[in-house]
């Protein structure tokens, strides 16, 4: 296929490189990032989109997505698909999809999980919103860049799935970390705590697959000085998107709200920026209930 790829940063770069390796013709545009090998550098976003069967965007936020959609959609050929893989607010995802559909294009929101490692290895999971025809057309590309693509529903459903998943993840990571800190103060050995919880009803991905305690459970960023991994500021971004969405649809999400507030403090007022999101454990370890 002929593909336009806009936003070739930490995630988009390796995703575009995998499409090239699979034999697709990729034209790329980025304001700053270098082109991966085999990606033809376009002078503008619109130029990258011209004549493409599918245009993929991998951008920092919804405002930038909307600006890029304004440039790209008028340049796209009728019947082509605009596929945004960024993590953005549901409203921006729906606005970009509506704009693409009004121009006679297919549209998908297809945020990912799996991080930079998954982008490089081609093992991302895509959560996809949009119509089935567009999904079927882009599915072979999802299969190159990832190991799983779930069609979640209409426009915005992919972003909805992503932020709901990450709201659960943020809250369970905090709960797991504060439980370890409590266990420490109760004199409970961390390895025993892991042994019990990972096979009891307190288990979760945060405990079992990404244990925040160094030297306990499988290898995780905790064993690497809490270098990300999944950075605390990216968790904060996703938690804020979940709260923005909850506000928009009047959903009561007190745990998500508290998780967003805790990560905001950690990243903005404490020393969490640049650390893995599981570094909540040393944060709780150093704190006390009173003062
Ligand atoms: P990044 O900052 O490394 O890449 C974004 C790229 O977009 C940059 O290279 C930037 O120059 C480019 N860009 C910005 N404005 C542009 C414009 N107007 N036109 C063209 N290019 C423009 O970010 P990333 O880590 O690759 O993340 C991209 C998206 O994927 C984000 O929405 C992020 O939330 C999501 N995501 C990231 C991860 C992760 O672990 N990094 C995991 C899952 C999802």
């Amino acid at each position: 296929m002929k593909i336009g790829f806009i936003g070739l940063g930490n995630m988009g770069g390796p995703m575009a490189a995998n499409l090239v390796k699979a034999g697709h013709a990729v034209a790329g545009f980025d304001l700053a990032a270098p082109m991966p090998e085999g990606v033809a550098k376009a002078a503008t976003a619109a130029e990258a989109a011209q004549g493409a069967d599918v245009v993929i965007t991998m951008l920092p936020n919804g405002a930038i997505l909307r600006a890029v959609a304004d440039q790209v959609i008028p340049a796209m050929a009728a019947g082509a698909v605009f596929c945004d893989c960024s993590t953005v607010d549901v409203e921006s995802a729906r606005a970009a999809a509506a704009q693409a559909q009004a121009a006679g294009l297919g549209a998908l929101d297809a945020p990912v999980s799996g991080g930079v490692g998954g982008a490089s290895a081609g093992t991302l999971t895509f959560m996809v919103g949009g119509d089935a025809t567009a999904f079927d057309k882009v599915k072979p590309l999802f299969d190159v860049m990832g190991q799983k693509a779930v069609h979640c529903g209409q426009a915005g459903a992919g972003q909805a799935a992503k932020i709901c998943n990450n709201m659960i993840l943020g809250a369970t990571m905090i709960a797991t970390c504060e439980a370890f800190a409590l266990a420490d103060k109760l004199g409970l050995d961390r390895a025993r705590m892991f042994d019990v919880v990972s096979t009891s009803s307190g288990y979760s991905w945060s405990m079992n697959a990404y244990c925040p305690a160094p030297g306990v459970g499988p290898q995780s960023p905790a064993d690497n000085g809490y270098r990300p991994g999944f950075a605390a500021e990216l968790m904060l971004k996703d938690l804020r998107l979940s709260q923005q969405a909850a506000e928009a649809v009047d959903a009561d999400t007190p745990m998500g709200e508290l998780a967003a507030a805790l990560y905001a403090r950690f990243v903005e007022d404490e020393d969490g920026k640049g650390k893995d999101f599981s570094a909540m454990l040393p944060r709780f370890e150093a704190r006390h209930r009173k003062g």
Side-chain angles (χ1 to χ4, degrees):
M1 272 195 238
K2 209 165 165 239
I3 298 158
F5 207 116
I6 297 153
L8 297 112
N10 293 325
M11 295 292 291
M15 290 164 71
N18 283 333
L19 292 171
V20 169
K21 275 185 218 140
H24 297 288
V26 184
F29 176 74
D30 193 290
L31 291 179
M35 293 296 121
E37 206 181 313
V39 174
K41 187 179 166 79
T44 62
E47 190 183 299
Q50 267 157 24
D53 300 300
V54 177
V55 172
I56 298 174
T57 50
M58 195 52 170
L59 298 162
N61 60 49
I64 294 175
L65 167 65
R66 287 176 192 241
V68 168
D70 283 344
Q71 296 160 31
V72 158
I73 287 171
M76 288 174 65
V81 178
F82 181 82
C83 176
D84 177 48
C85 293
S86 328
T87 304
V88 301
D89 57 287
V90 176
E91 280 172 52
S92 294
R94 290 195 173 136
Q99 193 179 349
Q101 277 159 354
L105 305 172
L108 298 173
D109 53 290
V112 303
S113 82
V116 178
S120 299
T123 57
L124 294 169
T125 296
F126 289 86
M127 298 150 248
V128 190
D131 67 61
T133 314
F135 179 78
D136 291 343
K137 184 162 179 183
V138 182
K139 179 77 169 42
L141 305 183
F142 294 144
D143 291 342
V144 168
M145 298 183 286
Q147 61 184 354
K148 189 168 181 188
V150 182
H151 189 199
C152 299
Q154 287 306 309
Q159 298 295 349
K162 165 95 188 177
I163 59 177
C164 287
N165 180 72
N166 281 18
M167 188 173 81
I168 295 171
L169 175 61
T172 56
M173 180 54 82
I174 290 169
T176 304
C177 291
E178 66 182 31
F180 265 118
L182 171 62
D184 287 347
K185 289 186 172 144
L186 293 171
L188 172 62
D189 178 70
R190 284 181 171 183
R192 301 292 180 285
M193 160 96 167
F194 175 83
D195 219 5
V196 171
V197 175
S198 65
T199 52
S200 300
S201 46
Y203 85 90
S204 69
W205 186 86
S206 295
M207 174 61 88
N208 291 36
Y210 205 92
C211 182
V216 177
Q219 275 282 326
S220 71
D223 300 306
N224 192 24
Y226 294 100
R227 271 187 290 283
F230 184 43
E233 56 268 32
L234 289 178
M235 174 47 84
L236 175 58
K237 172 188 171 179
D238 292 356
L239 285 168
R240 282 188 165 145
L241 289 175
S242 75
Q243 295 317 291
Q244 189 181 335
E247 182 74 34
V249 297
D250 194 22
D252 189 23
T253 56
M255 297 288 284
E257 192 177 345
L258 189 53
L262 271 169
Y263 274 104
R265 252 162 73 185
F266 187 46
V267 168
E268 291 167 0
D269 305 335
E270 301 168 357
D271 60 350
K273 194 165 193 299
K275 291 188 179 163
D276 189 74
F277 83 118
S278 62
M280 273 286 165
L281 174 52
R283 177 192 184 275
F284 283 121
E285 233 180 291
R287 294 174 63 86
H288 304 279
R289 190 173 187 84
K290 299 183 190 86

